[in-house]
Coordinates of all heavy atoms in Angstrom, one line a residue:
D126 N 12.8 18.1 -18.3 CA 11.8 17.8 -17.1 C 12.4 16.8 -16.3 O 12.7 15.6 -16.7 CB 10.5 17.4 -17.7 CG 9.5 17.2 -16.7 OD1 9.6 17.7 -15.6 OD2 8.7 16.2 -16.8
T127 N 12.8 17.1 -15.0 CA 13.4 16.2 -14.1 C 13.0 16.4 -12.6 O 12.6 17.5 -12.3 CB 14.9 16.2 -14.2 OG1 15.6 15.3 -13.4 CG2 15.4 17.7 -13.9
A128 N 13.1 15.4 -11.9 CA 13.0 15.5 -10.5 C 14.4 15.5 -9.8 O 14.5 15.5 -8.6 CB 12.0 14.3 -9.9
G129 N 15.4 15.4 -10.6 CA 16.8 15.6 -10.1 C 17.3 14.3 -9.4 O 18.4 14.4 -8.8
G130 N 16.6 13.2 -9.4 CA 16.9 12.0 -8.6 C 18.3 11.5 -8.9 O 19.1 11.1 -8.0
P131 N 18.8 11.4 -10.2 CA 20.0 10.7 -10.5 C 21.2 11.6 -10.2 O 22.3 11.1 -10.3 CB 19.9 10.5 -12.0 CG 18.4 10.7 -12.4 CD 17.9 11.7 -11.4
F132 N 21.0 12.8 -9.9 CA 22.1 13.8 -9.8 C 23.2 13.4 -8.8 O 22.9 13.1 -7.6 CB 21.7 15.2 -9.5 CG 22.8 16.2 -9.5 CD1 23.3 16.7 -10.7 CD2 23.3 16.6 -8.3 CE1 24.4 17.6 -10.7 CE2 24.4 17.5 -8.3 CZ 24.8 18.0 -9.5
T133 N 24.4 13.6 -9.2 CA 25.6 13.4 -8.3 C 26.8 14.1 -9.0 O 26.8 14.3 -10.2 CB 26.0 11.8 -8.2 OG1 27.2 11.8 -7.3 CG2 26.2 11.2 -9.5
R134 N 27.6 14.6 -8.1 CA 28.9 15.2 -8.7 C 30.0 14.3 -8.9 O 31.1 14.6 -9.4 CB 29.3 16.4 -7.7 CG 28.4 17.5 -7.5 CD 28.9 18.6 -6.6 NE 28.0 19.7 -6.5 CZ 28.1 20.8 -7.0 NH1 29.1 21.1 -7.9 NH2 27.2 21.8 -6.8
E135 N 29.7 13.0 -8.7 CA 30.7 12.0 -9.0 C 30.7 11.5 -10.4 O 29.7 11.8 -11.3 CB 30.4 10.7 -8.2 CG 30.5 10.9 -6.7 CD 30.1 9.7 -5.9 OE1 29.9 8.6 -6.5 OE2 30.2 9.8 -4.6
E136 N 31.9 11.1 -10.9 CA 32.1 10.7 -12.3 C 31.7 9.2 -12.5 O 31.8 8.5 -11.5 CB 33.5 11.0 -12.7 CG 34.0 12.4 -12.7 CD 33.2 13.2 -13.7 OE1 32.5 12.8 -14.5 OE2 33.4 14.5 -13.6
P137 N 31.2 8.8 -13.6 CA 31.2 9.6 -14.9 C 29.9 10.5 -15.1 O 29.9 11.2 -16.1 CB 31.3 8.5 -15.9 CG 30.5 7.4 -15.3 CD 30.9 7.4 -13.9
F138 N 29.0 10.4 -14.2 CA 27.8 11.2 -14.3 C 28.0 12.6 -14.5 O 27.4 13.2 -15.3 CB 26.9 10.9 -13.1 CG 25.5 11.7 -13.2 CD1 24.4 11.1 -13.7 CD2 25.4 13.0 -12.7 CE1 23.2 11.8 -13.8 CE2 24.3 13.7 -12.8 CZ 23.1 13.0 -13.4
F139 N 28.8 13.3 -13.6 CA 28.9 14.7 -13.6 C 29.3 15.3 -14.9 O 28.7 16.3 -15.4 CB 29.8 15.1 -12.4 CG 29.7 16.6 -12.1 CD1 28.5 17.1 -11.9 CD2 30.9 17.3 -12.0 CE1 28.3 18.5 -11.6 CE2 30.8 18.7 -11.6 CZ 29.5 19.3 -11.5
S140 N 30.3 14.7 -15.5 CA 30.8 15.2 -16.8 C 29.7 15.2 -17.9 O 29.5 16.1 -18.7 CB 32.0 14.5 -17.3 OG 33.1 14.7 -16.4
K141 N 29.0 14.1 -17.9 CA 27.9 13.9 -18.9 C 26.8 14.9 -18.6 O 26.2 15.4 -19.6 CB 27.4 12.4 -18.7 CG 28.4 11.3 -19.1 CD 27.8 10.0 -19.0 CE 28.8 8.9 -19.3 NZ 28.2 7.6 -18.9
F142 N 26.5 15.2 -17.4 CA 25.4 16.0 -17.0 C 25.7 17.4 -17.5 O 24.9 18.2 -17.9 CB 25.1 15.9 -15.5 CG 23.9 16.8 -15.2 CD1 22.7 16.4 -15.5 CD2 24.1 18.0 -14.6 CE1 21.6 17.1 -15.2 CE2 23.1 18.8 -14.2 CZ 21.8 18.4 -14.4
K143 N 27.0 17.8 -17.2 CA 27.4 19.1 -17.6 C 27.3 19.5 -19.1 O 26.9 20.5 -19.5 CB 28.9 19.5 -17.2 CG 29.0 19.6 -15.6 CD 30.4 20.2 -15.3 CE 31.5 19.1 -15.5 NZ 32.9 19.5 -15.0
Q144 N 27.5 18.4 -19.9 CA 27.4 18.6 -21.4 C 25.9 18.7 -21.7 O 25.5 19.5 -22.5 CB 27.9 17.4 -22.1 CG 29.4 17.2 -22.1 CD 30.0 18.4 -22.6 OE1 29.7 18.8 -23.8 NE2 31.1 18.9 -22.0
L145 N 25.0 18.0 -21.0 CA 23.5 18.1 -21.2 C 23.1 19.5 -20.9 O 22.3 20.1 -21.6 CB 22.9 17.2 -20.3 CG 21.3 17.2 -20.4 CD1 20.8 16.8 -21.8 CD2 20.7 16.2 -19.4
M146 N 23.6 20.1 -19.8 CA 23.2 21.4 -19.4 C 23.6 22.5 -20.4 O 23.0 23.6 -20.6 CB 23.7 21.8 -18.0 CG 23.0 21.0 -16.9 SD 21.3 21.4 -16.7 CE 20.5 20.0 -17.6
K147 N 24.7 22.3 -21.2 CA 25.1 23.3 -22.2 C 24.1 23.5 -23.3 O 24.1 24.4 -24.0 CB 26.5 22.8 -22.7 CG 27.7 22.9 -21.8 CD 28.9 22.6 -22.3 CE 30.1 22.7 -21.4 NZ 31.4 22.3 -22.0
V148 N 23.4 22.4 -23.5 CA 22.3 22.5 -24.6 C 20.9 22.5 -24.2 O 19.9 22.2 -24.9 CB 22.6 21.2 -25.6 CG1 23.9 21.4 -26.3 CG2 22.5 19.9 -24.8
T149 N 20.7 22.9 -22.8 CA 19.5 23.0 -22.2 C 19.1 24.4 -21.9 O 20.0 25.1 -21.2 CB 19.3 22.2 -20.9 OG1 19.6 20.8 -21.3 CG2 18.0 22.3 -20.3
D150 N 17.9 24.9 -22.4 CA 17.6 26.4 -22.1 C 16.9 26.5 -20.7 O 17.2 27.5 -20.0 CB 16.6 26.9 -23.0 CG 17.2 27.0 -24.5 OD1 18.3 27.6 -24.6 OD2 16.6 26.6 -25.5
L151 N 16.2 25.5 -20.3 CA 15.3 25.6 -19.1 C 15.3 24.2 -18.3 O 15.1 23.2 -19.1 CB 14.0 26.2 -19.3 CG 13.0 26.2 -18.2 CD1 13.4 27.3 -17.2 CD2 11.6 26.6 -18.7
V152 N 15.3 24.2 -17.1 CA 15.1 22.9 -16.2 C 13.8 23.1 -15.5 O 13.7 24.1 -14.8 CB 16.3 22.7 -15.4 CG1 16.0 21.4 -14.5 CG2 17.6 22.4 -16.2
L153 N 12.9 22.2 -15.6 CA 11.8 22.1 -14.7 C 12.1 21.1 -13.6 O 12.2 20.0 -13.8 CB 10.6 21.7 -15.5 CG 10.2 22.5 -16.8 CD1 8.9 21.9 -17.4 CD2 10.1 24.0 -16.5
L154 N 12.1 21.7 -12.4 CA 12.5 20.8 -11.2 C 11.4 20.7 -10.2 O 10.9 21.7 -9.8 CB 13.8 21.4 -10.6 CG 14.3 20.7 -9.3 CD1 14.7 19.3 -9.7 CD2 15.5 21.5 -8.7
D155 N 11.1 19.4 -10.0 CA 10.1 19.2 -8.9 C 10.8 19.0 -7.6 O 11.7 18.2 -7.4 CB 9.3 17.9 -9.2 CG 8.5 18.1 -10.5 OD1 7.8 19.1 -10.6 OD2 8.6 17.1 -11.4
I156 N 10.3 19.7 -6.6 CA 10.7 19.4 -5.2 C 9.5 19.0 -4.4 O 8.7 19.9 -4.1 CB 11.4 20.7 -4.5 CG1 12.6 21.1 -5.3 CG2 11.7 20.4 -3.1 CD1 13.4 22.3 -4.7
K157 N 9.4 17.7 -4.2 CA 8.3 17.1 -3.5 C 8.1 17.4 -2.1 O 7.1 17.8 -1.5 CB 8.2 15.7 -3.8 CG 8.2 15.2 -5.3 CD 8.2 13.8 -5.3 CE 8.3 13.4 -6.9 NZ 9.5 13.7 -7.6
H158 N 9.2 17.5 -1.4 CA 9.3 17.8 0.0 C 10.7 18.2 0.4 O 11.6 17.7 0.1 CB 8.9 16.5 0.9 CG 8.1 16.8 2.2 ND1 8.7 17.6 3.2 CD2 6.9 16.5 2.5 CE1 7.8 17.6 4.1 NE2 6.7 17.0 3.8
I159 N 10.7 19.3 1.3 CA 12.0 19.8 1.8 C 12.6 19.0 2.9 O 13.8 19.1 3.1 CB 11.8 21.3 2.2 CG1 13.2 22.0 2.3 CG2 11.0 21.4 3.4 CD1 14.0 22.1 1.1
D160 N 11.8 18.3 3.6 CA 12.4 17.5 4.8 C 12.8 16.1 4.3 O 12.0 15.5 3.7 CB 11.2 17.4 5.9 CG 11.6 16.7 7.1 OD1 12.3 17.3 7.9 OD2 11.4 15.5 7.2
E161 N 14.0 15.8 4.7 CA 14.5 14.5 4.1 C 13.7 13.3 4.7 O 13.4 12.4 3.9 CB 15.9 14.4 4.6 CG 16.6 13.1 4.0 CD 18.1 13.0 4.3 OE1 18.6 13.7 5.2 OE2 18.7 12.2 3.5
K162 N 13.4 13.2 6.0 CA 12.7 12.2 6.5 C 11.3 12.0 5.8 O 10.9 10.9 5.4 CB 12.5 12.3 8.0 CG 11.8 11.1 8.6 CD 11.7 11.4 10.2 CE 10.9 10.2 10.8 NZ 10.7 10.4 12.2
A163 N 10.6 13.1 5.6 CA 9.2 13.1 5.1 C 9.4 12.8 3.6 O 8.6 12.0 3.0 CB 8.7 14.4 5.2
H164 N 10.5 13.2 2.9 CA 10.7 12.9 1.5 C 11.0 11.3 1.4 O 10.4 10.7 0.4 CB 11.8 13.6 1.0 CG 12.0 13.6 -0.6 ND1 12.6 12.5 -1.1 CD2 11.6 14.4 -1.5 CE1 12.6 12.7 -2.4 NE2 12.0 13.9 -2.7
K165 N 11.6 10.7 2.3 CA 11.9 9.3 2.2 C 10.6 8.5 2.4 O 10.4 7.5 1.8 CB 12.9 8.9 3.3 CG 14.4 9.2 2.9 CD 15.3 8.7 4.0 CE 16.8 9.0 3.7 NZ 17.7 8.5 4.7
E166 N 9.7 9.0 3.3 CA 8.5 8.3 3.6 C 7.6 8.4 2.4 O 6.8 7.4 2.0 CB 7.8 8.9 4.8 CG 8.5 8.7 6.1 CD 7.8 9.4 7.3 OE1 6.9 10.1 7.0 OE2 8.3 9.1 8.3
L167 N 7.7 9.5 1.6 CA 6.8 9.7 0.5 C 7.3 9.0 -0.8 O 6.5 8.5 -1.6 CB 6.8 11.3 0.2 CG 5.9 11.7 -1.0 CD1 4.4 11.4 -0.8 CD2 6.1 13.3 -1.2
T168 N 8.6 9.0 -1.0 CA 9.2 8.5 -2.2 C 10.0 7.2 -2.1 O 10.4 6.6 -3.0 CB 10.0 9.6 -3.0 OG1 11.2 9.8 -2.1 CG2 9.2 10.9 -3.1
G169 N 10.5 7.0 -0.8 CA 11.5 6.0 -0.6 C 12.9 6.4 -0.8 O 13.8 5.5 -0.7
H170 N 13.1 7.6 -1.2 CA 14.5 8.0 -1.4 C 14.8 9.4 -0.7 O 14.0 10.2 -0.3 CB 14.7 8.3 -3.0 CG 14.4 7.1 -3.7 ND1 15.2 6.1 -3.9 CD2 13.3 6.8 -4.6 CE1 14.7 5.1 -4.6 NE2 13.5 5.6 -5.1
T171 N 16.2 9.6 -0.5 CA 16.5 10.8 0.1 C 16.3 12.1 -0.9 O 16.2 11.9 -2.0 CB 18.1 10.8 0.5 OG1 18.4 12.1 1.0 CG2 18.8 10.6 -0.7
N172 N 16.3 13.2 -0.4 CA 16.2 14.4 -1.2 C 17.5 15.2 -1.3 O 17.6 16.3 -1.9 CB 15.1 15.4 -0.7 CG 15.4 16.0 0.7 OD1 16.3 15.6 1.3 ND2 14.5 16.8 1.1
Q173 N 18.5 14.7 -0.6 CA 19.8 15.4 -0.6 C 20.4 15.6 -1.9 O 20.9 16.7 -2.2 CB 20.7 14.7 0.3 CG 20.3 14.7 1.9 CD 20.0 16.2 2.3 OE1 20.8 17.0 2.4 NE2 18.7 16.4 2.6
N174 N 20.4 14.6 -2.8 CA 21.0 14.8 -4.1 C 20.1 15.9 -5.0 O 20.6 16.5 -5.8 CB 21.2 13.5 -4.9 CG 19.9 12.7 -4.9 OD1 19.1 12.7 -4.1 ND2 19.8 11.9 -6.0
I175 N 18.7 15.8 -4.7 CA 17.9 16.7 -5.4 C 18.2 18.2 -5.1 O 18.3 19.1 -5.9 CB 16.5 16.4 -5.1 CG1 16.2 15.0 -5.6 CG2 15.5 17.4 -5.7 CD1 14.8 14.5 -5.2
L176 N 18.4 18.4 -3.8 CA 18.7 19.8 -3.3 C 20.1 20.2 -3.7 O 20.4 21.3 -4.1 CB 18.7 19.9 -1.8 CG 17.3 19.4 -1.1 CD1 17.3 19.7 0.3 CD2 16.2 20.3 -1.8
E177 N 21.0 19.2 -3.8 CA 22.4 19.5 -4.3 C 22.3 19.8 -5.8 O 23.1 20.7 -6.3 CB 23.3 18.3 -4.1 CG 24.7 18.5 -4.5 CD 25.5 19.6 -3.8 OE1 25.1 19.9 -2.6 OE2 26.4 20.1 -4.3
F178 N 21.4 19.2 -6.6 CA 21.2 19.4 -8.0 C 20.7 20.9 -8.2 O 21.1 21.6 -9.0 CB 20.1 18.4 -8.4 CG 19.7 18.8 -9.9 CD1 20.5 18.8 -10.9 CD2 18.3 18.8 -10.2 CE1 20.2 19.1 -12.2 CE2 17.9 18.9 -11.5 CZ 18.8 19.2 -12.5
A179 N 19.8 21.3 -7.3 CA 19.3 22.7 -7.4 C 20.4 23.7 -7.2 O 20.5 24.7 -7.8 CB 18.1 22.9 -6.4
K180 N 21.3 23.4 -6.1 CA 22.4 24.3 -5.9 C 23.4 24.4 -7.1 O 23.9 25.4 -7.4 CB 23.1 23.8 -4.6 CG 22.4 24.0 -3.4 CD 23.1 23.3 -2.2 CE 22.3 23.4 -0.9 NZ 23.0 22.7 0.2
Y181 N 23.6 23.2 -7.7 CA 24.4 23.2 -8.9 C 23.9 24.1 -9.9 O 24.7 24.9 -10.6 CB 24.7 21.8 -9.3 CG 25.5 21.8 -10.6 CD1 26.8 22.1 -10.7 CD2 24.8 21.4 -11.9 CE1 27.5 22.1 -11.9 CE2 25.6 21.4 -13.1 CZ 26.8 21.7 -13.1 OH 27.5 21.8 -14.2
L182 N 22.6 23.9 -10.3 CA 22.0 24.8 -11.3 C 22.1 26.2 -11.0 O 22.3 27.1 -11.9 CB 20.5 24.4 -11.4 CG 20.2 23.0 -12.0 CD1 18.7 22.7 -12.0 CD2 20.7 22.7 -13.3
S183 N 22.0 26.6 -9.7 CA 22.3 28.0 -9.3 C 23.7 28.4 -9.6 O 24.0 29.5 -10.1 CB 21.9 28.1 -7.8 OG 22.3 29.5 -7.4
D184 N 24.7 27.5 -9.3 CA 26.0 27.8 -9.5 C 26.4 28.1 -10.9 O 27.3 29.0 -11.2 CB 27.0 26.6 -9.1 CG 27.0 26.5 -7.6 OD1 26.5 27.4 -6.8 OD2 27.3 25.3 -7.0
I185 N 25.8 27.5 -11.9 CA 26.0 27.7 -13.3 C 25.0 28.6 -13.9 O 25.0 28.9 -15.1 CB 26.0 26.3 -14.1 CG1 24.6 25.6 -14.1 CG2 27.1 25.4 -13.5 CD1 24.6 24.4 -15.0
Q186 N 24.2 29.2 -13.1 CA 23.1 30.1 -13.5 C 22.3 29.6 -14.6 O 21.9 30.3 -15.6 CB 23.8 31.5 -14.0 CG 24.4 32.2 -12.9 CD 23.5 32.9 -12.0 OE1 22.8 33.8 -12.4 NE2 23.4 32.4 -10.7
K187 N 21.9 28.3 -14.5 CA 21.0 27.6 -15.5 C 19.5 28.0 -15.1 O 19.1 27.7 -13.9 CB 21.1 26.2 -15.5 CG 20.2 25.4 -16.5 CD 20.4 25.8 -17.9 CE 21.8 25.5 -18.3 NZ 22.0 26.0 -19.9
P188 N 18.7 28.6 -15.9 CA 17.4 29.0 -15.5 C 16.5 27.8 -15.1 O 16.6 26.7 -15.7 CB 16.8 29.6 -16.8 CG 18.0 30.1 -17.6 CD 19.1 29.1 -17.2
V189 N 15.8 27.9 -14.0 CA 15.1 26.8 -13.4 C 13.7 27.4 -12.9 O 13.5 28.5 -12.4 CB 15.8 26.1 -12.3 CG1 16.0 27.1 -11.2 CG2 15.1 24.9 -11.9
W190 N 12.7 26.5 -13.1 CA 11.4 26.7 -12.5 C 11.2 25.6 -11.4 O 11.5 24.5 -11.6 CB 10.2 26.5 -13.5 CG 10.2 27.6 -14.5 CD1 11.1 28.6 -14.7 CD2 9.3 27.6 -15.6 NE1 10.7 29.3 -15.7 CE2 9.6 28.7 -16.4 CE3 8.2 26.9 -15.9 CZ2 8.9 29.1 -17.5 CZ3 7.5 27.1 -17.1 CH2 7.8 28.3 -17.8
I191 N 11.0 26.1 -10.1 CA 10.7 25.2 -9.1 C 9.3 24.9 -9.0 O 8.4 25.8 -9.0 CB 11.2 25.8 -7.7 CG1 12.7 26.0 -7.8 CG2 10.9 24.8 -6.6 CD1 13.6 24.9 -7.9
R192 N 8.9 23.6 -9.0 CA 7.4 23.3 -8.9 C 7.2 22.4 -7.5 O 7.9 21.5 -7.2 CB 7.0 22.5 -10.1 CG 7.3 23.2 -11.3 CD 7.1 22.3 -12.6 NE 8.0 21.1 -12.5 CZ 8.1 20.3 -13.5 NH1 7.4 20.4 -14.6 NH2 8.9 19.2 -13.4
H193 N 6.1 22.8 -6.9 CA 5.8 22.2 -5.5 C 4.4 21.9 -5.6 O 3.4 22.8 -5.5 CB 6.2 23.1 -4.4 CG 6.1 22.5 -3.1 ND1 6.8 21.4 -2.7 CD2 5.3 22.8 -2.0 CE1 6.5 21.1 -1.5 NE2 5.7 21.8 -1.0
V194 N 4.1 20.6 -5.7 CA 2.6 20.1 -5.5 C 2.1 20.1 -4.1 O 2.8 19.4 -3.2 CB 2.4 18.9 -6.2 CG1 1.0 18.3 -6.1 CG2 2.7 18.9 -7.7
L195 N 1.1 20.9 -3.8 CA 0.7 21.0 -2.4 C -0.4 19.8 -2.1 O -1.4 19.7 -2.8 CB 0.0 22.3 -2.2 CG -0.2 22.8 -0.7 CD1 1.2 23.1 -0.2 CD2 -0.9 24.0 -0.7
V196 N 0.0 19.0 -1.2 CA -0.8 17.8 -0.8 C -1.2 18.0 0.7 O -0.3 17.9 1.5 CB -0.1 16.5 -1.1 CG1 -1.1 15.3 -0.8 CG2 0.5 16.6 -2.5
P197 N -2.5 18.2 1.1 CA -2.9 18.3 2.4 C -2.4 17.1 3.2 O -2.5 15.9 2.7 CB -4.4 18.3 2.3 CG -4.7 19.0 1.0 CD -3.6 18.5 0.1
T198 N -2.0 17.3 4.4 CA -1.4 16.3 5.4 C 0.0 15.8 5.0 O 0.6 15.2 5.8 CB -2.3 15.1 5.7 OG1 -2.2 14.2 4.5 CG2 -3.9 15.4 5.8
I199 N 0.4 16.1 3.8 CA 1.7 15.6 3.3 C 2.9 16.8 3.4 O 3.9 16.6 4.0 CB 1.7 15.1 1.9 CG1 0.7 13.9 1.8 CG2 3.1 14.7 1.4 CD1 1.0 12.7 2.6
N200 N 2.5 18.0 2.8 CA 3.5 19.0 2.8 C 2.9 20.4 2.9 O 3.5 21.4 2.5 CB 4.3 18.9 1.6 CG 3.4 19.0 0.3 OD1 2.3 19.4 0.3 ND2 4.1 18.8 -0.9
T201 N 1.7 20.5 3.7 CA 1.1 21.8 3.8 C 1.5 22.4 5.1 O 1.1 23.6 5.3 CB -0.4 21.7 3.7 OG1 -0.9 20.5 4.6 CG2 -1.0 21.4 2.4
D202 N 2.2 21.7 5.9 CA 2.7 22.4 7.2 C 3.5 23.6 7.0 O 4.4 23.6 6.2 CB 3.5 21.3 8.0 CG 3.7 21.8 9.4 OD1 4.2 23.0 9.7 OD2 3.4 21.1 10.4
E203 N 3.1 24.7 7.6 CA 3.8 26.0 7.3 C 5.3 25.9 7.7 O 6.1 26.6 7.0 CB 3.2 27.1 8.1 CG 1.8 27.5 7.6 CD 1.3 28.7 8.3 OE1 2.1 29.6 8.7 OE2 0.0 28.8 8.4
V204 N 5.7 25.0 8.6 CA 7.1 24.8 8.9 C 7.9 24.3 7.7 O 8.9 24.8 7.4 CB 7.3 23.9 10.1 CG1 8.8 23.6 10.3 CG2 6.7 24.5 11.4

Side-chain angles (χ1 to χ4, degrees):
D126 178 32
T127 180
F132 182 77
T133 175
R134 291 180 184 262
E135 296 181 2
E136 298 293 353
F138 177 92
F139 193 46
S140 293
K141 296 176 181 178
F142 184 77
K143 286 192 289 186
Q144 291 302 312
L145 178 64
M146 288 298 98
K147 288 180 180 179
V148 291
T149 300
D150 291 315
L151 174 69
V152 176
L153 306 182
L154 176 62
D155 296 309
I156 298 182
K157 300 178 179 66
H158 212 299
I159 192 63
D160 183 79
E161 182 176 17
K162 181 180 179 181
H164 191 277
K165 283 183 178 179
E166 292 176 353
L167 181 63
T168 69
H170 304 284
T171 179
N172 66 355
Q173 292 306 295
N174 57 328
I175 297 169
L176 302 183
E177 184 64 22
F178 173 52
K180 292 176 183 177
Y181 172 71
L182 294 178
S183 177
D184 290 342
I185 65 172
Q186 292 291 289
K187 180 62 61 179
V189 64
W190 294 358
I191 302 292
R192 304 170 302 187
H193 186 63
V194 173
L195 199 65
V196 187
T198 75
I199 302 293
N200 58 11
T201 47
D202 192 307
E203 290 187 30
V204 173

